[in-house]
Amino acid sequence: MGPVVQVLWEDWADRSLPLPTYQTAGAAGADLCANFPKAERAAGLTLPPMGRAICPTGIRVAIPEGYEMQVRPRSGLASKHGITLPNTPGTIDSDYRGPLGVSLVNLGTEPYTIRHGDRVAQAVVAPVVQAGF
């Protein structure tokens, strides 16, 4: 078993949604779900073409020292709808303890709505080596 990432729910989060989850035994990335505050759950988040927004996940993570969490696009969203991350991979450092949001951009030609509970990105935990400069 690899490193353990501690996960804390935000007070407002829908705890019926899954924590980051590997969909298969060989998956490198654990899926991250959109988890909106209660007042925003019905509407979701609509991204117009070329629109950008931070999609909340409802969690915070504590990554062990010596590791990072890379947030990457889901290939299906990117290839079918043009939904990707503008800063891929996004890096979450081991000393960050704030809310985990996923920066999304719509490179498609049509508006796209992220619904509450949708899998929006994947998280890959990887070792980090700090170099001398």
Side-chain angles (χ1 to χ4, degrees), residues 66-107:
Y67 292 87
E68 68 165 330
M69 180 181 281
Q70 298 174 6
V71 180
R72 301 179 183 182
R74 293 194 65 238
S75 58
L77 281 178
S79 64
K80 293 176 187 170
H81 306 287
I83 306 302
T84 189
L85 282 64
N87 62 324
T88 188
T91 295
I92 302 169
D93 297 309
S94 65
D95 58 355
Y96 178 72
R97 296 295 183 267
L100 176 56
V102 177
S103 181
L104 297 173
V105 62
N106 181 356
L107 300 179

Coordinates of all heavy atoms in Angstrom, one line a residue, residues 66-107:
G66 N 6.9 14.6 1.3 CA 7.6 13.9 0.3 C 6.8 13.4 -0.9 O 7.2 12.7 -1.8
Y67 N 5.5 13.9 -0.9 CA 4.6 13.5 -1.9 C 3.8 14.8 -2.4 O 3.8 15.8 -1.7 CB 3.5 12.5 -1.5 CG 4.1 11.2 -1.2 CD1 4.7 10.8 0.0 CD2 4.2 10.2 -2.2 CE1 5.2 9.6 0.3 CE2 4.8 9.0 -2.0 CZ 5.3 8.7 -0.8 OH 5.9 7.4 -0.5
E68 N 3.2 14.7 -3.5 CA 2.4 15.8 -4.1 C 1.1 15.1 -4.6 O 1.1 13.8 -4.8 CB 3.0 16.5 -5.2 CG 3.2 15.7 -6.5 CD 3.5 16.4 -7.7 OE1 3.1 17.6 -7.9 OE2 4.2 15.8 -8.6
M69 N 0.1 15.8 -4.8 CA -1.1 15.3 -5.5 C -1.2 16.1 -6.8 O -1.3 17.3 -6.8 CB -2.4 15.5 -4.6 CG -3.6 15.0 -5.3 SD -5.1 15.2 -4.3 CE -5.0 13.8 -3.2
Q70 N -1.2 15.4 -7.9 CA -1.4 16.0 -9.2 C -2.9 15.9 -9.6 O -3.5 14.8 -9.5 CB -0.6 15.3 -10.3 CG 0.9 15.4 -10.0 CD 1.7 14.6 -11.0 OE1 1.2 14.0 -12.0 NE2 3.0 14.5 -10.8
V71 N -3.5 17.0 -10.0 CA -4.9 17.0 -10.4 C -4.9 17.1 -11.9 O -4.3 18.0 -12.5 CB -5.7 18.1 -9.8 CG1 -7.1 18.1 -10.3 CG2 -5.6 18.1 -8.3
R72 N -5.5 16.1 -12.6 CA -5.4 15.9 -14.0 C -6.8 15.9 -14.6 O -7.8 15.5 -13.9 CB -4.7 14.7 -14.4 CG -3.2 14.6 -13.9 CD -2.6 13.3 -14.3 NE -1.2 13.2 -13.7 CZ -0.4 12.2 -13.9 NH1 -0.9 11.2 -14.7 NH2 0.8 12.2 -13.4
P73 N -6.9 16.2 -15.9 CA -8.3 16.1 -16.5 C -8.7 14.7 -16.7 O -7.9 13.7 -16.7 CB -8.0 16.7 -17.9 CG -6.7 17.2 -18.0 CD -5.9 16.7 -16.8
R74 N -10.0 14.5 -16.8 CA -10.6 13.2 -17.2 C -10.6 13.1 -18.7 O -11.2 14.0 -19.3 CB -11.9 13.0 -16.6 CG -11.9 12.9 -15.0 CD -13.1 12.3 -14.4 NE -13.3 11.0 -14.8 CZ -14.4 10.5 -15.5 NH1 -15.4 11.4 -15.8 NH2 -14.6 9.3 -15.8
S75 N -10.1 12.1 -19.3 CA -10.0 12.0 -20.7 C -11.3 12.1 -21.4 O -11.5 12.7 -22.5 CB -9.2 10.8 -21.2 OG -9.8 9.6 -20.7
G76 N -12.3 11.5 -20.9 CA -13.7 11.5 -21.5 C -14.3 12.9 -21.6 O -14.8 13.3 -22.6
L77 N -14.1 13.6 -20.5 CA -14.6 15.0 -20.5 C -13.9 15.9 -21.5 O -14.5 16.7 -22.2 CB -14.5 15.7 -19.1 CG -15.6 15.3 -18.1 CD1 -15.3 16.0 -16.8 CD2 -17.0 15.7 -18.6
A78 N -12.6 15.6 -21.6 CA -11.8 16.4 -22.5 C -12.1 16.1 -24.0 O -12.3 17.0 -24.8 CB -10.3 16.2 -22.2
S79 N -12.1 14.8 -24.3 CA -12.3 14.4 -25.7 C -13.7 14.6 -26.2 O -13.9 15.0 -27.3 CB -11.9 13.0 -25.9 OG -12.7 12.1 -25.2
K80 N -14.7 14.4 -25.3 CA -16.1 14.5 -25.7 C -16.7 15.9 -25.7 O -17.5 16.3 -26.5 CB -17.0 13.6 -24.9 CG -16.7 12.1 -25.1 CD -17.6 11.3 -24.1 CE -17.2 9.8 -24.2 NZ -17.8 9.0 -23.2
H81 N -16.2 16.7 -24.7 CA -16.8 18.0 -24.4 C -15.8 19.2 -24.4 O -16.3 20.3 -24.2 CB -17.6 18.0 -23.1 CG -18.6 16.8 -23.0 ND1 -19.8 16.9 -23.8 CD2 -18.6 15.7 -22.4 CE1 -20.5 15.7 -23.5 NE2 -19.8 15.0 -22.7
G82 N -14.5 18.9 -24.4 CA -13.6 20.0 -24.3 C -13.3 20.5 -22.9 O -12.8 21.6 -22.7
I83 N -13.8 19.8 -21.9 CA -13.6 20.2 -20.5 C -12.3 19.7 -20.0 O -12.0 18.5 -20.0 CB -14.7 19.7 -19.6 CG1 -16.1 20.1 -20.2 CG2 -14.5 20.2 -18.2 CD1 -16.3 21.6 -20.3
T84 N -11.4 20.6 -19.6 CA -10.1 20.2 -19.2 C -9.6 21.2 -18.1 O -10.4 22.0 -17.6 CB -9.1 20.2 -20.4 OG1 -7.8 19.6 -20.0 CG2 -8.8 21.6 -21.0
L85 N -8.4 21.0 -17.7 CA -7.8 21.9 -16.7 C -6.8 22.9 -17.3 O -6.0 22.4 -18.1 CB -7.0 21.1 -15.6 CG -7.9 20.4 -14.5 CD1 -8.8 19.3 -15.1 CD2 -7.0 19.8 -13.5
P86 N -6.9 24.2 -17.0 CA -6.0 25.1 -17.7 C -4.6 25.0 -17.2 O -3.7 25.5 -17.8 CB -6.6 26.5 -17.3 CG -7.4 26.2 -16.1 CD -7.9 24.8 -16.2
N87 N -4.4 24.4 -16.0 CA -3.0 24.3 -15.4 C -2.7 22.8 -15.2 O -2.3 22.4 -14.1 CB -3.0 25.0 -14.1 CG -3.9 24.5 -13.1 OD1 -5.0 24.1 -13.4 ND2 -3.5 24.5 -11.8
T88 N -2.9 22.0 -16.2 CA -2.7 20.6 -16.0 C -1.2 20.1 -16.1 O -0.5 20.6 -17.0 CB -3.6 19.7 -17.0 OG1 -3.5 18.4 -16.6 CG2 -3.2 20.0 -18.4
P89 N -0.7 19.3 -15.2 CA -1.4 18.9 -14.0 C -1.3 20.0 -13.0 O -0.3 20.7 -12.8 CB -0.7 17.7 -13.6 CG 0.7 17.9 -14.0 CD 0.6 18.7 -15.3
G90 N -2.4 20.2 -12.2 CA -2.4 21.1 -11.1 C -1.7 20.4 -9.9 O -1.9 19.2 -9.7
T91 N -0.8 21.0 -9.2 CA -0.1 20.4 -8.1 C -0.6 20.9 -6.7 O -0.8 22.1 -6.5 CB 1.4 20.8 -8.2 OG1 1.9 20.2 -9.4 CG2 2.2 20.2 -7.0
I92 N -0.9 19.9 -5.9 CA -1.2 20.2 -4.5 C 0.0 19.8 -3.6 O 0.3 18.6 -3.7 CB -2.5 19.5 -4.0 CG1 -3.7 20.0 -5.0 CG2 -2.8 19.9 -2.6 CD1 -4.9 19.2 -4.8
D93 N 0.6 20.7 -3.0 CA 1.8 20.4 -2.2 C 1.4 19.8 -0.8 O 0.3 19.9 -0.4 CB 2.5 21.7 -1.9 CG 3.1 22.4 -3.2 OD1 3.7 21.6 -4.0 OD2 2.8 23.6 -3.4
S94 N 2.4 19.1 -0.3 CA 2.1 18.4 1.0 C 1.8 19.4 2.2 O 1.2 18.9 3.1 CB 3.3 17.5 1.4 OG 4.5 18.3 1.6
D95 N 2.2 20.6 2.1 CA 1.9 21.6 3.2 C 0.6 22.4 2.9 O 0.3 23.2 3.7 CB 3.1 22.5 3.4 CG 3.5 23.3 2.2 OD1 3.0 23.1 1.1 OD2 4.4 24.1 2.4
Y96 N -0.1 22.1 1.9 CA -1.4 22.8 1.6 C -2.5 22.1 2.4 O -2.7 20.9 2.3 CB -1.7 22.9 0.1 CG -3.0 23.6 -0.2 CD1 -3.2 25.0 0.0 CD2 -4.1 22.9 -0.6 CE1 -4.4 25.6 -0.3 CE2 -5.3 23.5 -0.9 CZ -5.4 24.9 -0.7 OH -6.6 25.5 -1.0
R97 N -3.3 22.9 3.1 CA -4.5 22.3 3.8 C -5.8 23.0 3.6 O -6.8 22.8 4.2 CB -4.2 22.4 5.4 CG -3.0 21.6 5.8 CD -3.3 20.1 5.6 NE -2.2 19.3 6.1 CZ -1.2 18.8 5.4 NH1 -1.1 19.2 4.1 NH2 -0.3 18.0 5.9
G98 N -5.8 23.8 2.5 CA -7.1 24.6 2.2 C -8.0 23.7 1.4 O -7.8 22.5 1.1
P99 N -9.1 24.3 1.0 CA -10.1 23.6 0.2 C -9.6 23.1 -1.1 O -8.7 23.8 -1.7 CB -11.2 24.6 -0.1 CG -11.0 25.7 0.9 CD -9.5 25.7 1.2
L100 N -10.0 21.9 -1.5 CA -9.6 21.3 -2.8 C -10.6 21.7 -3.9 O -11.7 21.2 -3.9 CB -9.4 19.8 -2.7 CG -9.1 19.1 -4.0 CD1 -7.8 19.6 -4.6 CD2 -8.9 17.6 -3.7
G101 N -10.2 22.6 -4.8 CA -11.1 23.0 -5.9 C -10.4 22.6 -7.2 O -9.1 22.5 -7.2
V102 N -11.1 22.3 -8.2 CA -10.6 21.9 -9.5 C -10.8 23.0 -10.5 O -12.0 23.4 -10.7 CB -11.2 20.6 -10.0 CG1 -10.7 20.2 -11.4 CG2 -11.0 19.5 -9.0
S103 N -9.7 23.6 -11.0 CA -9.8 24.7 -12.0 C -10.2 24.0 -13.3 O -9.4 23.2 -13.9 CB -8.5 25.4 -12.1 OG -8.5 26.4 -13.0
L104 N -11.3 24.4 -13.9 CA -11.8 23.8 -15.2 C -11.9 24.9 -16.2 O -12.2 26.1 -15.9 CB -13.2 23.2 -15.0 CG -13.3 22.0 -14.0 CD1 -14.7 21.6 -13.8 CD2 -12.5 20.8 -14.5
V105 N -11.8 24.5 -17.5 CA -12.0 25.4 -18.6 C -12.7 24.6 -19.7 O -12.5 23.4 -19.8 CB -10.6 25.9 -19.2 CG1 -9.7 24.8 -19.7 CG2 -10.9 27.0 -20.3
N106 N -13.6 25.3 -20.4 CA -14.4 24.7 -21.5 C -13.8 25.1 -22.8 O -14.0 26.2 -23.2 CB -15.8 25.1 -21.4 CG -16.7 24.5 -22.5 OD1 -16.2 23.8 -23.4 ND2 -18.0 24.7 -22.4
L107 N -13.0 24.2 -23.4 CA -12.5 24.5 -24.7 C -13.4 24.1 -25.9 O -13.0 24.2 -27.0 CB -11.1 23.8 -24.9 CG -10.0 24.2 -23.9 CD1 -8.8 23.4 -24.1 CD2 -9.8 25.7 -23.9

